[in-house]
Amino acid sequence: MTALAGPPPPLADRPQPGVRLRVVQMADAEALAALCRSNRAYLRPWEPERDDSYFTVDGQRDNLHSLVEAYATGEMWPGVILVDGELAGRISLNHILRGPLQTCFVGYWVARAHAGRGVATEALRQALDVAFDGLGLHRVEAFTRVDNLASQRVLERNGFTAVGTARRHIHVDGRWHDERFFERLAPWDDGITLTPPA
């Protein structure tokens, strides 16, 4: 099975216009620490285990330093999700591979206060613009736990296609979980061209 080429289908429930993305900044440490602390229990089933230091301002500074370095070398595009200018989550294009692959995988989370409002769907739509238009990637991949139906809907609304299941793929919430593997090809994909046409 392959991803749908071309733009995703139109959304009947078009999300609020106040959603936008930007690259993380070191100045985000305090706001991210507060957001991570307030959503710690909510995100626990889906996120890797974190030690207590991750939820502090210093822990977020350390994390942001690593993200900014990876961004500078082109290894990833680390973003924050803003709703009406306020931090509402994170979205990243991870493990960017060039050469004959031209691919990455996307990861995202949205704070509980914004869940179910189309924020993740719109954030992912914008991240795909970054991946395909800004970075010139050919493919974006994603994994979700098999029981994370909300995240699967976000992917499907953005034209991703389920490819299969990776058995015991991620260790979160105290054990190994199966994950569904999704893919999306660039709108400019023609089966031949390596990079977007000029």
Side-chain angles (χ1 to χ4, degrees):
M1 206 176 279
T2 59
L4 300 174
L11 297 176
D13 54 341
R14 199 66 181 162
Q16 55 211 14
V19 177
R20 73 177 189 88
L21 308 183
R22 68 163 166 75
V23 174
V24 296
Q25 303 169 358
M26 292 303 295
D28 293 326
E30 190 171 333
L32 272 173
L35 194 65
C36 289
R37 275 194 309 274
S38 65
N39 285 275
R40 189 173 187 175
Y42 173 66
L43 295 173
R44 183 172 291 124
W46 318 109
E47 289 279 303
E49 189 172 332
R50 315 273 193 196
D51 62 36
D52 290 340
S53 66
Y54 181 83
F55 300 90
T56 67
V57 175
D58 285 342
Q60 283 302 305
R61 280 195 191 106
D62 290 344
N63 185 47
L64 288 169
H65 181 73
S66 298
L67 297 176
V68 168
E69 280 188 345
Y71 175 64
T73 61
E75 296 171 30
M76 74 180 304
W77 187 91
V80 289
I81 302 169
L82 304 171
V83 175
D84 296 328
E86 297 294 319
L87 209 61
R90 288 275 329 277
I91 190 163
S92 294
L93 303 171
N94 302 292
H95 301 290
I96 295 172
L97 299 174
R98 295 297 185 171
L101 293 176
Q102 298 295 329
T103 189
C104 72
F105 79 86
V106 65
Y108 52 86
W109 61 266
V110 172
R112 183 177 201 153
H114 299 283
R117 298 181 179 180
V119 172
T121 299
E122 176 61 14
L124 180 55
R125 186 196 66 73
Q126 293 179 32
L128 290 173
D129 288 344
V130 172
F132 297 141
D133 299 334
L135 299 175
L137 296 174
H138 174 255
R139 174 189 181 94
V140 177
E141 300 175 352
F143 287 92
T144 72
R145 270 184 33 186
V146 293
D147 56 339
N148 191 346
L149 302 180
S151 189
Q152 291 168 36
R153 283 191 298 272
V154 167
L155 293 167
E156 289 164 351
R157 286 175 181 152
N158 276 284
F160 281 77
T161 300
V163 177
T165 301
R167 294 180 58 244
R168 295 183 180 147
H169 187 251
I170 191 167
H171 195 277
V172 292
D173 202 25
R175 69 181 187 88
W176 288 101
H177 292 269
D178 294 350
E179 289 198 301
R180 290 188 75 195
F181 172 45
F182 288 80
E183 63 181 5
R184 169 78 199 273
L185 298 182
W188 50 265
D189 170 66
D190 61 5
I192 299 168
T193 309
L194 177 63
T195 57

